[in-house]
Amino acid sequence: MKLENIIERILKNNFKIKDIISLLSLDNKDDLEVLYKKAFETMLTFTSGKIHLRAIIEFSNYCRKNCRYCGIRRGNKDQKRYRMSSEEIISVSIEAYKQGFRTVVLQSGEDLYFTKDKIGDIIKRIKEKVDIAVTLSVGERDYETYRYWKMCGADRYLMRIETTNKDLFKKLHPDDDYEYRIRCLKWIKEFGYELGTGIMLGLPKQTLEDLANDILLFKKFDADMIGCGPFLPHNGTPLFSEKMSDVNLTLKFLAVLRLVMKDINIPATTALGTIDPYGREMGLKAGCNVLMPNFTPVAYRKHYLLYNNKICIFEDANKCYQCTLERIKNVNLKASDSKGFREHS
Ligand code: 5AD
Ligand code: SF4
Ligand code: FES
Protein backbone atom coordinates (compact mmCIF):
# COMPACT_ATOMS: atom_id res chain seq x y z
CA MET A 1 0.00 0.00 0.00
CA LYS A 2 1.32 3.40 -0.92
CA LEU A 3 2.23 5.75 1.89
CA GLU A 4 0.21 8.62 0.44
CA ASN A 5 -2.91 6.44 0.33
CA ILE A 6 -2.55 5.41 3.95
CA ILE A 7 -2.15 9.02 5.03
CA GLU A 8 -5.15 10.01 2.92
CA ARG A 9 -7.31 7.33 4.53
CA ILE A 10 -6.35 8.52 7.99
CA LEU A 11 -7.07 12.15 7.10
CA LYS A 12 -10.48 11.09 5.80
CA ASN A 13 -11.10 9.22 9.02
CA ASN A 14 -11.56 6.01 7.12
CA PHE A 15 -8.73 3.85 8.40
CA LYS A 16 -7.99 0.61 10.18
CA ILE A 17 -5.59 -0.05 13.03
CA LYS A 18 -3.17 -1.67 10.59
CA ASP A 19 -2.81 1.67 8.79
CA ILE A 20 -1.58 3.25 12.00
CA ILE A 21 0.79 0.37 12.64
CA SER A 22 2.24 0.65 9.16
CA LEU A 23 2.96 4.35 9.65
CA LEU A 24 4.55 3.65 13.03
CA SER A 25 6.77 1.06 11.30
CA LEU A 26 8.20 3.46 8.73
CA ASP A 27 11.97 3.65 8.81
CA ASN A 28 12.93 5.02 5.44
CA LYS A 29 14.10 8.63 5.60
CA ASP A 30 12.06 9.82 2.62
CA ASP A 31 8.89 8.21 3.92
CA LEU A 32 9.39 9.78 7.32
CA GLU A 33 9.80 13.17 5.71
CA VAL A 34 6.49 12.74 3.89
CA LEU A 35 4.78 11.75 7.14
CA TYR A 36 6.20 14.68 9.14
CA LYS A 37 5.39 17.14 6.38
CA LYS A 38 1.77 16.00 6.20
CA ALA A 39 1.45 16.20 10.00
CA PHE A 40 2.96 19.69 10.00
CA GLU A 41 0.55 20.85 7.29
CA THR A 42 -2.36 19.36 9.22
CA MET A 43 -1.30 21.28 12.32
CA LEU A 44 -1.15 24.52 10.30
CA THR A 45 -4.57 23.89 8.73
CA PHE A 46 -6.56 22.70 11.73
CA THR A 47 -5.08 24.78 14.57
CA SER A 48 -4.20 28.48 14.73
CA GLY A 49 -0.72 27.47 13.56
CA LYS A 50 0.73 29.43 16.48
CA ILE A 51 2.58 27.72 19.28
CA HIS A 52 0.88 27.78 22.67
CA LEU A 53 3.08 28.23 25.70
CA ARG A 54 2.31 26.71 29.09
CA ALA A 55 4.34 27.59 32.18
CA ILE A 56 4.82 24.45 34.21
CA ILE A 57 5.27 24.75 37.97
CA GLU A 58 6.36 21.55 39.72
CA PHE A 59 5.11 22.49 43.17
CA SER A 60 5.70 19.27 45.16
CA ASN A 61 7.73 16.13 44.58
CA TYR A 62 6.10 14.13 47.36
CA CYS A 63 4.32 11.12 45.91
CA ARG A 64 2.26 8.39 47.52
CA LYS A 65 2.84 6.08 44.57
CA ASN A 66 5.60 3.83 43.37
CA CYS A 67 5.34 3.77 39.57
CA ARG A 68 8.26 1.67 38.46
CA TYR A 69 9.67 4.14 35.93
CA CYS A 70 9.48 7.37 37.89
CA GLY A 71 12.33 9.09 39.72
CA ILE A 72 10.11 10.64 42.41
CA ARG A 73 8.34 7.37 43.30
CA ARG A 74 7.90 6.97 47.05
CA GLY A 75 10.42 4.11 47.14
CA ASN A 76 13.25 6.36 45.97
CA LYS A 77 14.62 7.15 49.41
CA ASP A 78 17.56 9.08 47.99
CA GLN A 79 15.20 11.72 46.71
CA LYS A 80 15.07 14.87 48.83
CA ARG A 81 11.46 16.06 49.03
CA TYR A 82 10.04 19.58 48.82
CA ARG A 83 6.73 21.37 48.80
CA MET A 84 6.09 24.93 47.75
CA SER A 85 3.69 26.88 49.96
CA SER A 86 0.31 27.98 48.61
CA GLU A 87 1.55 31.59 48.71
CA GLU A 88 4.59 30.70 46.63
CA ILE A 89 2.53 28.72 44.09
CA ILE A 90 0.19 31.67 43.69
CA SER A 91 2.95 34.26 43.42
CA VAL A 92 4.90 32.17 40.88
CA SER A 93 1.70 31.77 38.83
CA ILE A 94 1.25 35.54 38.84
CA GLU A 95 4.88 35.89 37.74
CA ALA A 96 4.13 33.54 34.85
CA TYR A 97 1.26 35.79 33.81
CA LYS A 98 3.50 38.87 33.96
CA GLN A 99 6.10 37.06 31.86
CA GLY A 100 3.43 36.65 29.17
CA PHE A 101 2.08 33.15 29.80
CA ARG A 102 -1.68 32.65 29.51
CA THR A 103 -1.66 29.10 30.94
CA VAL A 104 -0.07 27.78 34.06
CA VAL A 105 0.27 24.03 34.68
CA LEU A 106 0.36 23.11 38.35
CA GLN A 107 2.03 19.71 38.56
CA SER A 108 3.10 17.53 41.47
CA GLY A 109 3.49 13.96 42.60
CA GLU A 110 0.37 12.47 44.17
CA ASP A 111 0.68 14.51 47.35
CA LEU A 112 -2.40 14.38 49.59
CA TYR A 113 -0.97 17.15 51.76
CA PHE A 114 -2.51 19.30 49.04
CA THR A 115 -6.10 18.54 49.92
CA LYS A 116 -9.17 19.26 47.84
CA ASP A 117 -9.65 22.53 49.76
CA LYS A 118 -6.00 23.60 49.60
CA ILE A 119 -5.84 23.21 45.82
CA GLY A 120 -9.31 24.72 45.40
CA ASP A 121 -8.13 27.76 47.34
CA ILE A 122 -4.97 28.08 45.20
CA ILE A 123 -7.03 27.98 41.99
CA LYS A 124 -9.50 30.58 43.25
CA ARG A 125 -6.77 32.94 44.42
CA ILE A 126 -4.86 32.73 41.13
CA LYS A 127 -8.06 33.33 39.18
CA GLU A 128 -8.97 36.35 41.34
CA LYS A 129 -5.67 38.00 40.57
CA VAL A 130 -4.87 37.22 36.92
CA ASP A 131 -6.67 36.10 33.78
CA ILE A 132 -4.75 32.89 33.18
CA ALA A 133 -5.90 29.36 32.33
CA VAL A 134 -5.11 26.84 35.08
CA THR A 135 -4.20 23.27 34.22
CA LEU A 136 -3.95 20.76 37.05
CA SER A 137 -1.71 17.71 36.91
CA VAL A 138 -1.82 16.14 40.35
CA GLY A 139 -2.95 12.60 39.61
CA GLU A 140 -5.82 10.43 40.75
CA ARG A 141 -8.41 11.85 43.15
CA ASP A 142 -12.13 11.24 43.60
CA TYR A 143 -15.26 12.32 41.76
CA GLU A 144 -16.15 15.05 44.21
CA THR A 145 -12.65 16.55 44.18
CA TYR A 146 -12.50 16.84 40.39
CA ARG A 147 -15.97 18.38 40.40
CA TYR A 148 -15.00 20.90 43.08
CA TRP A 149 -11.77 22.02 41.40
CA LYS A 150 -13.67 22.69 38.20
CA MET A 151 -16.10 24.87 40.15
CA CYS A 152 -13.13 26.73 41.64
CA GLY A 153 -12.11 27.70 38.12
CA ALA A 154 -9.66 25.05 36.88
CA ASP A 155 -9.71 24.90 33.08
CA ARG A 156 -7.81 21.76 32.17
CA TYR A 157 -6.66 18.51 33.70
CA LEU A 158 -3.71 16.49 32.64
CA MET A 159 -3.30 12.84 33.53
CA ARG A 160 -1.62 10.32 31.30
CA ILE A 161 -2.92 6.81 30.90
CA GLU A 162 0.78 5.93 30.27
CA THR A 163 -0.15 2.83 28.23
CA THR A 164 -3.44 1.21 27.24
CA ASN A 165 -1.88 -2.24 27.40
CA LYS A 166 -3.55 -3.36 30.63
CA ASP A 167 -0.91 -5.96 31.51
CA LEU A 168 1.87 -3.47 31.03
CA PHE A 169 -0.09 -0.83 32.96
CA LYS A 170 -0.41 -3.24 35.86
CA LYS A 171 3.27 -4.15 35.85
CA LEU A 172 4.35 -0.51 35.84
CA HIS A 173 1.84 0.74 38.41
CA PRO A 174 1.79 -1.32 41.61
CA ASP A 175 -0.66 1.13 43.24
CA ASP A 176 -3.03 1.69 40.36
CA ASP A 177 -6.07 0.18 38.78
CA TYR A 178 -6.43 0.71 35.03
CA GLU A 179 -10.21 0.93 35.19
CA TYR A 180 -10.10 3.57 37.91
CA ARG A 181 -7.70 5.70 35.85
CA ILE A 182 -10.12 5.45 32.93
CA ARG A 183 -13.01 6.40 35.19
CA CYS A 184 -11.12 9.50 36.37
CA LEU A 185 -10.50 10.57 32.78
CA LYS A 186 -14.21 10.19 32.01
CA TRP A 187 -15.21 12.28 35.03
CA ILE A 188 -12.74 14.98 34.09
CA LYS A 189 -14.22 15.22 30.60
CA GLU A 190 -17.75 15.11 31.96
CA PHE A 191 -17.10 18.04 34.34
CA GLY A 192 -16.10 20.20 31.39
CA TYR A 193 -12.36 20.41 31.79
CA GLU A 194 -10.24 20.26 28.70
CA LEU A 195 -8.89 16.76 29.02
CA GLY A 196 -5.22 16.04 28.59
CA THR A 197 -3.81 12.56 28.65
CA GLY A 198 -0.97 10.70 26.98
CA ILE A 199 1.56 7.92 27.18
CA MET A 200 5.24 7.16 27.31
CA LEU A 201 6.88 5.65 24.24
CA GLY A 202 9.43 2.89 24.24
CA LEU A 203 8.37 1.33 27.53
CA PRO A 204 9.85 -2.12 28.08
CA LYS A 205 7.80 -4.66 26.10
CA GLN A 206 5.51 -2.05 24.54
CA THR A 207 4.59 -2.95 20.95
CA LEU A 208 3.55 -0.91 17.92
CA GLU A 209 0.13 -2.44 18.25
CA ASP A 210 -0.06 -1.10 21.81
CA LEU A 211 0.82 2.35 20.50
CA ALA A 212 -1.84 2.13 17.79
CA ASN A 213 -4.39 1.18 20.46
CA ASP A 214 -3.28 4.16 22.53
CA ILE A 215 -4.16 6.45 19.64
CA LEU A 216 -7.55 4.78 19.23
CA LEU A 217 -8.29 5.33 22.91
CA PHE A 218 -7.36 9.03 22.71
CA LYS A 219 -9.75 9.33 19.80
CA LYS A 220 -12.53 7.50 21.60
CA PHE A 221 -12.15 9.86 24.58
CA ASP A 222 -11.96 12.86 22.27
CA ALA A 223 -9.08 14.12 24.41
CA ASP A 224 -8.27 17.80 23.88
CA MET A 225 -4.57 17.48 24.56
CA ILE A 226 -2.17 14.59 24.26
CA GLY A 227 1.24 14.78 25.92
CA CYS A 228 3.67 12.05 25.03
CA GLY A 229 7.34 11.58 25.51
CA PRO A 230 9.98 8.90 25.30
CA PHE A 231 10.55 6.67 28.31
CA LEU A 232 13.90 7.52 29.85
CA PRO A 233 15.35 5.38 32.66
CA HIS A 234 16.11 6.85 36.08
CA ASN A 235 18.91 5.42 38.21
CA GLY A 236 16.86 5.34 41.40
CA THR A 237 14.11 3.12 39.92
CA PRO A 238 13.70 -0.60 39.19
CA LEU A 239 13.84 0.20 35.46
CA PHE A 240 17.28 1.80 35.72
CA SER A 241 18.91 -0.65 33.32
CA GLU A 242 16.26 -0.56 30.60
CA LYS A 243 17.24 1.08 27.37
CA MET A 244 15.90 4.51 26.64
CA SER A 245 13.48 5.05 23.82
CA ASP A 246 14.50 6.48 20.48
CA VAL A 247 13.54 9.91 19.25
CA ASN A 248 12.11 8.72 15.93
CA LEU A 249 9.49 6.52 17.51
CA THR A 250 8.15 9.50 19.45
CA LEU A 251 8.18 11.73 16.37
CA LYS A 252 6.35 9.14 14.28
CA PHE A 253 3.76 8.69 17.00
CA LEU A 254 3.17 12.43 17.35
CA ALA A 255 2.84 12.83 13.59
CA VAL A 256 0.32 9.99 13.27
CA LEU A 257 -1.59 11.39 16.23
CA ARG A 258 -1.82 14.74 14.46
CA LEU A 259 -3.24 13.08 11.34
CA VAL A 260 -5.85 11.23 13.41
CA MET A 261 -6.79 14.09 15.78
CA LYS A 262 -6.27 17.11 13.63
CA ASP A 263 -7.24 20.01 15.90
CA ILE A 264 -5.99 18.91 19.33
CA ASN A 265 -3.15 20.42 21.31
CA ILE A 266 0.03 18.36 21.20
CA PRO A 267 3.10 19.46 23.16
CA ALA A 268 6.67 18.77 22.20
CA THR A 269 7.63 17.66 25.71
CA THR A 270 10.62 18.14 27.97
CA ALA A 271 11.39 14.41 27.65
CA LEU A 272 11.58 14.85 23.87
CA GLY A 273 13.97 17.76 24.46
CA THR A 274 16.01 15.56 26.78
CA ILE A 275 16.46 12.65 24.40
CA ASP A 276 17.66 14.95 21.62
CA PRO A 277 18.87 18.56 21.83
CA TYR A 278 16.61 19.42 18.87
CA GLY A 279 13.80 17.09 19.93
CA ARG A 280 11.35 19.91 20.55
CA GLU A 281 12.04 21.60 17.22
CA MET A 282 11.64 18.26 15.46
CA GLY A 283 8.38 17.79 17.36
CA LEU A 284 7.05 21.12 16.09
CA LYS A 285 8.02 20.12 12.55
CA ALA A 286 6.14 16.84 13.02
CA GLY A 287 2.83 18.40 14.06
CA CYS A 288 3.19 19.55 17.68
CA ASN A 289 1.77 22.98 18.56
CA VAL A 290 2.53 23.43 22.27
CA LEU A 291 5.66 23.97 24.35
CA MET A 292 5.73 23.80 28.12
CA PRO A 293 8.74 25.65 29.50
CA ASN A 294 9.71 24.92 33.07
CA PHE A 295 8.64 27.77 35.39
CA THR A 296 9.53 26.07 38.67
CA PRO A 297 11.73 28.24 40.93
CA VAL A 298 15.27 27.13 40.22
CA ALA A 299 16.01 25.91 43.78
CA TYR A 300 13.47 23.09 43.42
CA ARG A 301 14.20 21.96 39.90
CA LYS A 302 16.96 19.49 40.65
CA HIS A 303 14.56 17.60 42.92
CA TYR A 304 11.91 17.02 40.26
CA LEU A 305 13.87 14.47 38.29
CA LEU A 306 11.46 11.98 36.76
CA TYR A 307 14.26 10.54 34.60
CA ASN A 308 18.03 10.85 34.08
CA ASN A 309 19.53 13.94 32.43
CA LYS A 310 16.35 16.02 32.53
CA ILE A 311 16.98 19.38 30.89
CA CYS A 312 16.40 22.87 32.35
CA ILE A 313 17.56 21.97 35.86
CA PHE A 314 20.02 24.82 36.30
CA GLU A 315 18.34 27.45 34.15
CA ASP A 316 15.81 29.86 35.59
CA ALA A 317 12.31 30.69 34.41
CA ASN A 318 13.37 33.62 32.25
CA LYS A 319 16.11 31.59 30.57
CA CYS A 320 13.67 28.81 29.67
CA TYR A 321 11.12 31.32 28.40
CA GLN A 322 13.66 33.02 26.11
CA CYS A 323 15.06 29.67 25.01
CA THR A 324 11.56 28.49 24.11
CA LEU A 325 10.82 31.62 22.05
CA GLU A 326 14.13 31.14 20.26
CA ARG A 327 13.27 27.54 19.37
CA ILE A 328 9.91 28.61 17.96
CA LYS A 329 11.66 31.22 15.83
CA ASN A 330 14.22 28.67 14.64
CA VAL A 331 11.49 26.68 12.94
CA ASN A 332 9.82 29.81 11.51
CA LEU A 333 6.75 29.63 13.70
CA LYS A 334 5.19 32.17 16.05
CA ALA A 335 4.15 32.02 19.68
CA SER A 336 0.48 32.46 20.44
CA ASP A 337 -0.68 35.04 22.97
CA SER A 338 -4.04 33.38 23.70
CA LYS A 339 -4.97 30.92 26.42
CA GLY A 340 -4.71 28.25 23.76
CA PHE A 341 -7.85 26.20 24.17
CA ARG A 342 -8.44 23.54 21.55
CA GLU A 343 -9.86 25.10 18.41
CA HIS A 344 -12.47 22.54 17.43
CA SER A 345 -12.49 22.16 13.68
N1 5AD B 1 10.65 8.67 31.55
C1 5AD B 1 9.82 9.45 30.82
N2 5AD B 1 8.71 10.02 31.32
C2 5AD B 1 8.44 9.80 32.62
N3 5AD B 1 7.42 10.20 33.40
C3 5AD B 1 7.61 9.73 34.64
N4 5AD B 1 8.74 9.01 34.69
C4 5AD B 1 9.28 9.04 33.45
C5 5AD B 1 10.42 8.44 32.85
N5 5AD B 1 11.26 7.68 33.56
C6 5AD B 1 6.26 10.92 32.86
C7 5AD B 1 4.97 10.13 33.08
C8 5AD B 1 4.12 11.05 33.92
C9 5AD B 1 4.72 12.39 33.59
C10 5AD B 1 4.44 13.45 34.60
O1 5AD B 1 6.08 12.15 33.50
O2 5AD B 1 4.36 9.88 31.83
O3 5AD B 1 2.75 11.00 33.58
FE1 SF4 C 1 4.05 9.57 41.46
FE2 SF4 C 1 3.27 10.34 38.99
FE3 SF4 C 1 5.79 9.49 39.46
FE4 SF4 C 1 3.76 7.74 39.52
S1 SF4 C 1 4.46 8.93 37.70
S2 SF4 C 1 5.46 7.88 41.03
S3 SF4 C 1 2.13 8.98 40.42
S4 SF4 C 1 4.83 11.33 40.27
FE1 FES D 1 14.93 25.51 29.60
FE2 FES D 1 15.87 25.69 27.01
S1 FES D 1 13.81 25.52 27.71
S2 FES D 1 16.96 25.95 28.92
PDB file of all heavy atoms in Angstrom, residues 280 312 315 320 323-324 327, ligand 3:
ATOM      1  N   ARG A 280      12.562  19.080  20.557  1.00  0.00           N
ATOM      2  CA  ARG A 280      11.349  19.914  20.554  1.00  0.00           C
ATOM      3  C   ARG A 280      11.122  20.570  19.198  1.00  0.00           C
ATOM      4  O   ARG A 280       9.993  20.622  18.716  1.00  0.00           O
ATOM      5  CB  ARG A 280      11.423  20.948  21.689  1.00  0.00           C
ATOM      6  CG  ARG A 280      11.149  20.310  23.045  1.00  0.00           C
ATOM      7  CD  ARG A 280      11.571  21.194  24.188  1.00  0.00           C
ATOM      8  NE  ARG A 280      13.021  21.361  24.227  1.00  0.00           N
ATOM      9  CZ  ARG A 280      13.669  22.151  25.062  1.00  0.00           C
ATOM     10  NH1 ARG A 280      12.983  22.873  25.935  1.00  0.00           N
ATOM     11  NH2 ARG A 280      14.972  22.243  25.037  1.00  0.00           N
ATOM     12  N   CYS A 312      16.939  21.663  31.688  1.00  0.00           N
ATOM     13  CA  CYS A 312      16.400  22.866  32.350  1.00  0.00           C
ATOM     14  C   CYS A 312      16.470  22.808  33.876  1.00  0.00           C
ATOM     15  O   CYS A 312      15.641  23.405  34.565  1.00  0.00           O
ATOM     16  CB  CYS A 312      14.956  23.143  31.939  1.00  0.00           C
ATOM     17  SG  CYS A 312      14.723  23.269  30.177  1.00  0.00           S
ATOM     18  N   GLU A 315      18.789  26.183  34.725  1.00  0.00           N
ATOM     19  CA  GLU A 315      18.338  27.446  34.148  1.00  0.00           C
ATOM     20  C   GLU A 315      17.192  28.002  34.985  1.00  0.00           C
ATOM     21  O   GLU A 315      16.503  27.254  35.663  1.00  0.00           O
ATOM     22  CB  GLU A 315      17.862  27.237  32.706  1.00  0.00           C
ATOM     23  CG  GLU A 315      18.983  26.939  31.717  1.00  0.00           C
ATOM     24  CD  GLU A 315      19.476  25.496  31.745  1.00  0.00           C
ATOM     25  OE1 GLU A 315      18.879  24.669  32.475  1.00  0.00           O
ATOM     26  OE2 GLU A 315      20.457  25.195  31.044  1.00  0.00           O
ATOM     27  N   CYS A 320      14.468  29.817  30.394  1.00  0.00           N
ATOM     28  CA  CYS A 320      13.666  28.815  29.674  1.00  0.00           C
ATOM     29  C   CYS A 320      12.639  29.487  28.760  1.00  0.00           C
ATOM     30  O   CYS A 320      12.367  29.014  27.655  1.00  0.00           O
ATOM     31  CB  CYS A 320      12.960  27.871  30.651  1.00  0.00           C
ATOM     32  SG  CYS A 320      14.101  26.716  31.435  1.00  0.00           S
ATOM     33  N   CYS A 323      14.592  30.824  25.784  1.00  0.00           N
ATOM     34  CA  CYS A 323      15.061  29.671  25.006  1.00  0.00           C
ATOM     35  C   CYS A 323      13.910  29.086  24.180  1.00  0.00           C
ATOM     36  O   CYS A 323      14.078  28.720  23.012  1.00  0.00           O
ATOM     37  CB  CYS A 323      15.627  28.633  25.986  1.00  0.00           C
ATOM     38  SG  CYS A 323      16.000  27.035  25.275  1.00  0.00           S
ATOM     39  N   THR A 324      12.733  29.045  24.794  1.00  0.00           N
ATOM     40  CA  THR A 324      11.561  28.492  24.114  1.00  0.00           C
ATOM     41  C   THR A 324      11.165  29.376  22.924  1.00  0.00           C
ATOM     42  O   THR A 324      10.891  28.875  21.820  1.00  0.00           O
ATOM     43  CB  THR A 324      10.396  28.372  25.121  1.00  0.00           C
ATOM     44  OG1 THR A 324      10.836  27.543  26.185  1.00  0.00           O
ATOM     45  CG2 THR A 324       9.175  27.761  24.479  1.00  0.00           C
ATOM     46  N   ARG A 327      13.517  28.806  20.081  1.00  0.00           N
ATOM     47  CA  ARG A 327      13.271  27.538  19.373  1.00  0.00           C
ATOM     48  C   ARG A 327      12.102  27.664  18.403  1.00  0.00           C
ATOM     49  O   ARG A 327      12.111  27.103  17.304  1.00  0.00           O
ATOM     50  CB  ARG A 327      13.004  26.406  20.371  1.00  0.00           C
ATOM     51  CG  ARG A 327      14.253  25.941  21.068  1.00  0.00           C
ATOM     52  CD  ARG A 327      13.986  25.024  22.249  1.00  0.00           C
ATOM     53  NE  ARG A 327      15.181  24.953  23.070  1.00  0.00           N
ATOM     54  CZ  ARG A 327      16.208  24.132  22.832  1.00  0.00           C
ATOM     55  NH1 ARG A 327      16.167  23.275  21.846  1.00  0.00           N
ATOM     56  NH2 ARG A 327      17.286  24.156  23.593  1.00  0.00           N
TER      57      ARG A 327
HETATM   58 FE1  FES B   3      14.931  25.509  29.600  1.00  0.00          FE
HETATM   59 FE2  FES B   3      15.867  25.686  27.007  1.00  0.00          FE
HETATM   60  S1  FES B   3      13.811  25.519  27.712  1.00  0.00           S
HETATM   61  S2  FES B   3      16.965  25.952  28.916  1.00  0.00           S
END
